[in-house]
Amino acid sequence: MAAKENQLNHLAIIMDGNGRWAKARKQPRFFGHQAGMENVERITLAANHLGIKVLTLYAFSTENWARPKAEVAYLMNLPVRFFDKFMPTLMANQVKVNVMGDLTQLPAKTRQVVERAMADTAANTGLVLNFAFNYGARKEIVGAVQTLARAVQAGRLAPEDIAEQDVGQALMTAKFGPYRNPDLLIRTSGEQRLSNFLLWQLAYAELAFSDKLWPDFDEQDLMEFVTNYQGRHRRFGKIDESDS
Ligand code: FPP
C-alpha cells in the first residue's frame, strides 16, 4: 500500500546524549537516563498528536551490554519504571506498545513487564510505540537469513526465488505492514552514525541530526523536523521506495 508521499508514518529515533546531559549537570549517568525516559513520554504524545503511526525508539542495543554493570542494570530496569509510571497515559492516548529485540536475554522482571505492556495495549488503535530493546540490526538480519534458510531446507522456498520482500517479511518490523520502513530517522546529540540500527529498513529513509541531547529534544524540535521532512518531500517528489 503506497502511503501519501509527504506523510510521515514511521519515525525512528536514536536517543543519544543522556550521559552528556547528566555530566553537564555534574550528575551521574543514571540521572540522564531518567530524564531520557521522561522525554520518551513527551515525544510519544507529541508524535501521536502529529498523526505518526509508528515511533521506533532505540532504547538498548546489543552493544550496550558492554557498559558498566550498574548502568546496564539501571537501563534494564527503565522499562519497569516507565510502564509503572506512564501506562495510564499510554492507555488514555490509545498508544500500542511493541518491543523488538532479543527478549529472551532480558532479566525476568524486565521481560515480564514488556510482555505485559504489549498485551495490555494490544487492542489500542493509536500510535505504535516500538522500543528497540536488546536490538541489533545485524543480529536481526542473521535471524531473517536463518528463517529463510529453514524455508529453503523445508522445500518451501527455492534459493533463486528469494526476493527483497522475503527478507523484509522475515524482519521484526514486518508486523507494521505498510509502515514497516521508517520514513525519517532522527539522531540526537550531534553524532552521525547508524550504530547497527534498522540497517535494512532505513535504506530509503531521510536522515536528520539534531545537536540537542536527548533529554532536551522537545515537542518543538520534533515539530521542526517533521515540518522539514514534509517540505523536502513536497519539493523533491516521490521516492521510489522498495516494498520490502
Ligand atoms: C544513549 O545515551 C542512550 C541510551 C543508551 C539509553 C536510552 C534510553 C532511554 C532514553 C530511556 C528509554 C526508556 C525506556 C522506557 C526503555 P548515552 O548514554 O550513550 O549518552 P552519551 O553518549 O552522552 O554518553
Side-chain angles (χ1 to χ4, degrees), residues 86-104:
F86 298 127
M87 192 48 109
T89 311
L90 299 181
M91 291 305 285
N93 287 276
Q94 286 292 318
V95 173
K96 182 172 172 165
V97 174
N98 187 66
V99 182
M100 64 172 199
D102 185 356
L103 304 187
T104 65

Side-chain angles (χ1 to χ4, degrees), residues 171-211:
L171 297 172
M172 294 170 184
T173 40
K175 62 168 76 165
F176 306 134
Y179 309 131
R180 60 193 174 280
N181 298 318
D183 304 297
L184 173 67
L185 169 79
I186 300 173
R187 182 170 189 152
T188 60
S189 91
E191 307 290 345
Q192 303 197 353
R193 290 187 299 277
L194 289 181
S195 300
N196 201 17
F197 188 45
L198 301 172
L199 296 181
W200 176 278
Q201 297 90 330
L202 289 171
Y204 294 96
E206 298 277 339
L207 307 182
F209 303 96
S210 168
D211 284 334

Side-chain angles (χ1 to χ4, degrees), residues 7-11 47 51-55 126-129 179:
Q7 173 69 38
L8 175 48
N9 289 312
H10 186 165
L11 170 65
I52 290 170
K53 307 289 192 303
V54 181
L55 174 64
L127 171 130
V128 175
L129 172 58
Y179 309 131

Side-chain angles (χ1 to χ4, degrees), residues 15-20 29 33 36 59 64 67 78 82 131 214:
M15 309 179 288
D16 199 5
N18 293 346
R20 279 164 282 165
R29 295 178 57 79
H33 294 317
N64 285 154
R67 294 191 175 204
L78 274 182
F82 178 81
F131 286 106
W214 171 248

Side-chain angles (χ1 to χ4, degrees), residues 14-22 29 32-40 57-61 64 67 71 75 78-83 131 133 187 189 191 213-214:
I14 300 178
M15 309 179 288
D16 199 5
N18 293 346
R20 279 164 282 165
W21 188 89
R29 295 178 57 79
H33 294 317
Q34 159 79 28
M37 180 192 88
E38 280 163 12
N39 201 33
V40 168
L57 301 177
Y58 205 6
F60 190 90
S61 77
N64 285 154
R67 294 191 175 204
E71 184 173 353
L75 289 169
L78 274 182
V80 179
R81 294 178 50 223
F82 178 81
F83 293 120
F131 286 106
F133 201 82
R187 182 170 189 152
S189 91
E191 307 290 345
L213 304 174
W214 171 248

